[in-house]
Amino acid sequence: MKNPFYLKPLPLSVPFCDREKETADLVRYAENFTNVVLSSPRRYGKTSLIKRAQNQLSKKGILPIYIDYFGISSVDEFAAKFASAIYAAVYREKSFFEKAVKIFTSLRPVIRPDTEAGLAVTVEVSRGKSGMRLLEETMTGFSEFLRSGRIKCNVAFDEFQEITELKESKLMEGTLRSYIQDQENVSYFFIGSRRRILLDIFNDKKRPFYNSAINYTLPPLPAEDTVKYLAGLFSESGKKCPVNIARQIHTLSEGYPYYVQKLSYFIFEAAKNKVTDADLSEGLSQMLSEETPLFELMLQALRPRQISLLNAVAKEPVAAPFAAEYIDRHRLGSLGGVQAAMKKLSEIDYIEKTAIGWKVPDPLFTLWLKRNEAME
Ligand SMILES: Nc1ncnc2c1ncn2[C@@H]1O[C@H](COP(=O)(O)OP(=O)(O)OP(=O)(O)O)[C@@H](O)[C@H]1O
Ligand SMILES: [Mg+2]
């Protein structure tokens, strides 16, 4: 039997665990043309959720436009990706497509067959058009497009915080905000996992996007739904997973969607007809060794002081990390050094502040850090 669990983004056609309320909330916001900032730790299911919400929106006559800004390197790329996503979204509707071609005069669509998506749409930028001018032209074009035919839209900017890496980011924030606030019949979803950076864009009084969108946080997957989901998928694929093991999968992953899938994947591979405790441990060690190269890379990018603080927080989540006693016990060095390390680690989302204090949000990274340190 084929393994029913996924190590890559979930296609729309496969079963999704829970997220009913979240999907309905997002659909509702889009219908009300309300902008939303959707944040969560990485690999928490934001993109999968947005794709599902947008799929429902398209059935309700709201045109979904989705752009992934991961790794963008220029304003031109931001504008070009936006325009190609618009072309891709309207490609099947001849009148909309023609309208878009007329409006985006500096961005011509180039359409190629694509084995995965069916079609790949990119754009060719006219000579001499670049930078902020190209962005302004694209935004003007999009406003005109929206006005031209009473078109309702939802735009998802995935990994939106990446714009802060560009040298024109301040100008971009101002420009984008001024167009967005004047547009009608459209909602924007701003999505990202580098939460500090993403949320600062919207919650800092001095920045253009201040107060322009609703903050929406994606919670972990709830235990009961996850247990049902897992037991169902195992048994449909010919293996029985007892409830107590399904529950342990949820507990070990702390409802972290990516690890729920991944751990189940390896357990499914290990199990015969019925999942046992031994299969659970086997699955867990497979998953740990599979993630090890990534975790090692994550550590390599850090300074020794940052690693010490990360290890301390993994071992002992803390409400007051600057207390002399904590710093001494974990040998973290000077207070200034701890403060700087703290800032860096929370910016890259390796640690986060929760109701119980600072912790490492990734449960597997936490486990790996603890084991790694114990071995040293
Ligand atoms: N509701 C769900 N039910 C089952 N599995 C899920 C669910 N949501 C997410 N997943 C699993 O988690 C993985 C990560 O999901 P996704 O890529 O959507 O997260 P993300 O938050 O966008 O991640 P990133 O921070 O890397 O952009 C998916 O590949 C899928 O296996
Ligand atoms: Mg994503």
Side-chain angles (χ1 to χ4, degrees), residues 9 42-48 66 68 158-159 191-193:
R42 65 197 184 107
R43 308 197 286 197
Y44 230 63
K46 298 176 294 298
T47 303
S48 314
Y66 172 87
D68 183 356
D158 208 347
E159 306 292 354
I191 306 143
S193 48

Side-chain angles (χ1 to χ4, degrees), residues 254 313-314 316-321 352-361:
E254 294 181 9
V313 175
E316 189 191 343
V318 57
E352 68 168 339
K353 196 174 182 181
T354 67
I356 58 152
W358 290 90
K359 62 172 281 209
V360 177

Side-chain angles (χ1 to χ4, degrees), residues 295-310:
F295 293 155
E296 280 171 352
L297 271 179
M298 286 164 71
L299 282 198
Q300 270 166 29
L302 299 180
R303 291 165 196 268
R305 238 178 229 282
Q306 296 162 348
I307 296 179
S308 308
L309 178 63
L310 183 63

Side-chain angles (χ1 to χ4, degrees), residues 53-98:
Q54 286 202 325
N55 188 41
Q56 289 195 12
L57 287 170
S58 74
K59 291 182 188 146
K60 290 172 168 248
I62 296 183
L63 184 70
I65 296 170
Y66 172 87
I67 306 109
D68 183 356
Y69 282 125
F70 186 75
I72 49 157
S73 57
S74 67
V75 185
D76 292 19
E77 203 181 334
F78 185 98
K81 281 198 154 187
F82 192 15
S84 5
I86 297 168
Y87 283 127
V90 297
Y91 182 68
R92 281 175 216 293
E93 298 218 25
K94 197 159 169 274
S95 66
F96 285 179
F97 188 72
E98 284 168 356

Side-chain angles (χ1 to χ4, degrees), residues 6-10 15-19 40-49 158-159 193 221 229 257-258 261:
Y6 278 78
L7 301 184
K8 37 175 205 185
L10 287 186
F16 203 48
C17 176
D18 185 56
R19 300 296 193 218
S40 78
R42 65 197 184 107
R43 308 197 286 197
Y44 230 63
K46 298 176 294 298
T47 303
S48 314
L49 173 66
D158 208 347
E159 306 292 354
S193 48
L221 291 174
Y229 173 80
Y258 176 76
Q261 286 280 348

